[in-house]
Amino acid sequence: MIHFTPISTNSKVKTKHSLNDIYWIISLFVLPFIGLPTQLKAQADTSKMAWFADAKLGIFIHWGIYAVDGTSESWAFHNKQVPYPKYMKQIEGFKAEKYDPTYWANLIEQSGARYTVITAKHHDGVALWDTKMNTLSIPKKSPAKKDVLTPFVEAIRKKDIKLGIYYSLIDWSHPNYPQFLKDSVRYKATEDTLRWNRFRQFYQGQLAELNKAYKPDLYWFDGDWEHSAQEWQAAKVRASILASKPNTIINGRLQGYGDYETPEQNFPVSRPNLKYWELCMTTNDNWGYRQSDHNFKTPYQIISIFADCIGMGGNLLLDIGPKADGTIPDEQVNILTELGAWTKQHQEAIFGSIAGMPQGHFYGPSTLSKDSTCLYLFVSQTAANNVYLKGLNNKIVSAEVLGTGISLEPKIVGKISWSHVPGLVYFEVPAAAQNKYISVIKLKLDKPLSLYRGKGGFD
Ligand code: GLC
């Protein structure tokens, strides 16, 4: 079965070539013959990353046929928990009859998120949009009978929210994709380069479609681990994306050709290596909707994890898994709503802030204003009566509980008159000023933050 339809043979597209199409055609069909710079490794330029660094919170959406029976997304058949035909049969139950993309966009906006990333296609190969590269898509195969990606993109584009498209490089359903089940492969990419090339043309063709239709602000690739950068033609894919929209951000799952690091689920204790990073995390234990999974994190846990991320200069990409009918589970609606009330009260400490103090000065996360003259301390209820700060050389001009209008009086303890070592700064947050999850103390400093990092005594 031939799955690849070269873009240039599609006369409908051909007659409407925009600059964007031409870029794609050049990069897909011409660049491979003239070669590409081999060292095009992730070099995120700061100006294009500016919105991402300020955005802090993104909402990840895993929506696919796996929501029908509530299996794990794609992995269910790959890991042989469910036979492949049974897994794929879920498509017959994907109706999306209550799907309301405007509601989704409103909820995302309400959470305070500044970007969103939606699974256009997961490892199972089922496209949410009406791809012309094959027929395995929601519009072609499911009773929903419609493209469910475009209306979401349109709803998001009406907001001040950046659009990210998740695209799985892996396609375990495609007859020309080498890997299939965990213990069986169709063939080896290195041994049948013609067949592998057919798959590459297919996937790059899908990317061309996505690029043409949505021009996302961010591409979130996944599954790069199954092939090398060379096999994926990662350099070419990156170049093609940037040629059509130079500011596009690419996540770090393109075999070294992305712009930022994407630790998954496991919280980093020390700061990831790349300057830009984003923790992607589920609200319960699964990416997609699973009716059996009730292990939701509490709003407090989500908020404290979020505060921890931004305190270390990263973003949180928090996942939701809508049901097959298009509704969002109540627990996730609740988490996003609570998160939204919290982000609203503490906007100043979150958006546009930079990483706070290194560990050791304060028992909790902190952020700084970009000029480092305002320090924000994130304080849980249990710590609110006994907040203290070590090694602050600055004078505190004012202290307040953010979003409450309540001022605080710092108490300096243990300052020795003849020593340059600063004293400890204590605060008490009055009960009336405490946020039910995490309060934020804003300290206005006399000048940019200066910290004493010595070992005490005469040091
Ligand atoms: C993993 C999984 C995938 C999930 C993704 C989200 O790479 O393969 O199922 O979509 O992480 O980060």
Side-chain angles (χ1 to χ4, degrees):
M1 193 191 333
I2 297 178
H3 273 258
F4 171 60
T5 322
I7 301 177
S8 52
T9 61
N10 181 337
S11 57
K12 229 166 132 199
V13 176
K14 213 175 183 180
T15 51
K16 287 204 248 151
H17 279 331
S18 64
L19 204 56
N20 178 46
D21 299 330
I22 292 162
Y23 278 136
W24 273 94
I25 288 162
I26 290 174
S27 43
L28 291 180
F29 300 103
V30 181
L31 285 182
F33 299 103
I34 58 173
L36 274 164
T38 45
Q39 283 313 308
L40 186 74
K41 284 274 180 183
Q43 282 162 6
D45 76 273
T46 350
S47 62
K48 97 166 182 185
M49 296 303 289
W51 74 257
F52 181 82
D54 287 347
K56 310 297 179 193
L57 181 64
I59 301 298
F60 211 175
I61 303 171
H62 275 69
W63 199 30
I65 62 167
Y66 36 87
V68 173
D69 294 345
T71 67
S72 67
E73 73 296 339
S74 311
W75 293 97
F77 72 83
H78 181 78
N79 288 338
K80 299 168 71 170
Q81 288 141 2
V82 177
Y84 181 71
K86 186 164 188 259
Y87 178 92
M88 292 311 289
K89 220 176 155 28
Q90 292 182 93
I91 204 164
E92 292 168 20
F94 194 92
K95 299 201 183 91
E97 70 275 27
K98 295 186 187 153
Y99 174 41
D100 180 355
T102 307
Y103 172 75
W104 288 22
N106 288 342
L107 185 65
I108 292 168
E109 183 181 50
Q110 200 194 335
S111 75
R114 303 282 164 101
Y115 66 110
T116 183
V117 179
I118 183 167
T119 49
K121 186 183 94 168
H122 205 263
H123 313 331
D124 59 14
V126 182
L128 295 193
W129 81 101
D130 196 9
T131 178
K132 301 290 180 277
M133 301 301 296
N134 68 357
T135 56
L136 188 52
S137 65
I138 292 298
K140 298 246 166 57
K141 292 267 163 74
S142 80
K145 285 208 183 78
K146 59 182 180 211
D147 170 347
V148 288
L149 182 56
T150 306
F152 176 70
V153 171
E154 285 166 359
I156 286 296
R157 286 302 190 202
K158 290 190 188 129
K159 311 262 180 203
D160 194 14
I161 296 173
K162 300 279 185 189
L163 172 74
I165 292 284
Y166 168 109
Y167 180 82
S168 169
L169 297 162
I170 289 176
D171 188 331
W172 289 323
S173 285
H174 196 284
N176 285 328
Y177 187 72
Q179 283 85 353
F180 178 38
L181 305 179
K182 65 175 179 181
D183 53 3
S184 65
V185 294
R186 294 183 179 93
Y187 71 100
K188 286 203 175 117
T190 44
E191 286 167 12
D192 190 345
T193 47
L194 275 180
R195 194 170 171 191
W196 172 241
N197 204 36
R198 255 181 250 139
F199 177 76
R200 275 199 307 224
Q201 287 171 329
F202 161 77
Y203 103 75
Q204 291 172 13
Q206 283 201 322
L207 279 179
E209 286 180 344
L210 291 170
N211 215 46
K212 179 164 183 269
Y214 309 121
K215 301 219 168 17
D217 303 296
L218 187 155
Y219 272 104
W220 215 101
F221 289 110
D222 199 12
D224 64 343
W225 58 82
E226 286 198 337
H227 294 277
S228 65
Q230 219 183 355
E231 281 171 342
W232 290 122
Q233 296 180 318
K236 184 180 115 179
V237 167
R238 179 180 171 91
S240 309
I241 291 170
L242 298 187
S244 78
K245 189 173 168 189
N247 280 344
T248 317
I249 294 177
I250 300 172
N251 77 329
R253 296 193 189 176
L254 191 56
Q255 289 288 16
Y257 288 84
D259 298 312
Y260 69 89
E261 221 167 311
T262 54
E264 175 176 329
Q265 299 284 31
N266 301 319
F267 197 88
V269 174
S270 49
R271 244 186 112 145
N273 295 331
L274 290 189
K275 180 171 178 194
Y276 302 101
W277 64 274
E278 163 200 84
L279 172 73
C280 55
M281 193 185 74
T282 51
T283 40
N284 50 2
D285 292 334
N286 285 278
W287 296 101
Y289 174 67
R290 295 193 77 174
Q291 43 273 70
S292 59
D293 183 352
H294 301 289
N295 196 23
F296 286 94
K297 296 172 183 81
T298 64
Y300 168 75
Q301 286 162 347
I302 303 266
I303 289 169
S304 50
I305 291 168
F306 176 46
D308 231 332
C309 279
I310 60 177
M312 289 203 286
N315 289 2
L316 176 67
L317 182 63
L318 182 67
D319 183 69
I320 56 171
K323 298 180 189 177
D325 66 3
T327 58
I328 298 174
D330 291 346
E331 296 90 336
Q332 293 177 337
V333 172
N334 180 49
I335 286 171
L336 297 199
T337 312
E338 292 294 289
L339 185 56
W342 187 83
T343 52
K344 198 164 176 212
Q345 184 182 339
H346 302 109
Q347 298 195 30
E348 186 188 323
I350 303 169
F351 305 108
S353 70
I354 54 173
M357 294 178 291
Q359 283 169 11
H361 293 273
F362 169 64
Y363 294 109
S366 63
T367 58
L368 281 162
S369 58
K370 281 190 181 151
D371 64 3
S372 295
T373 61
C374 286
L375 176 62
Y376 303 94
L377 307 174
F378 294 75
V379 180
S380 70
Q381 269 189 341
T382 46
N385 289 332
N386 193 23
V387 181
Y388 85 97
L389 198 56
K390 283 188 276 187
L392 181 70
N393 288 324
N394 297 76
K395 287 208 166 51
I396 296 170
V397 178
S398 65
E400 65 173 280
V401 186
L402 203 62
T404 66
I406 295 179
S407 305
L408 296 180
E409 205 46 60
K411 191 163 185 251
I412 313 293
V413 172
K415 171 69 191 137
I416 306 303
S417 59
W418 46 261
S419 168
H420 67 283
V421 178
L424 303 171
V425 187
Y426 276 82
F427 290 103
E428 240 178 74
V429 182
Q434 287 175 21
N435 181 278
K436 64 174 161 170
Y437 299 121
I438 296 209
S439 308
V440 178
I441 301 180
K442 173 185 177 182
L443 303 185
K444 221 169 159 342
L445 307 175
D446 57 339
K447 51 184 190 295
L449 178 78
S450 156
L451 294 172
Y452 163 76
R453 302 278 295 157
K455 296 190 167 66
F458 300 113
D459 187 10

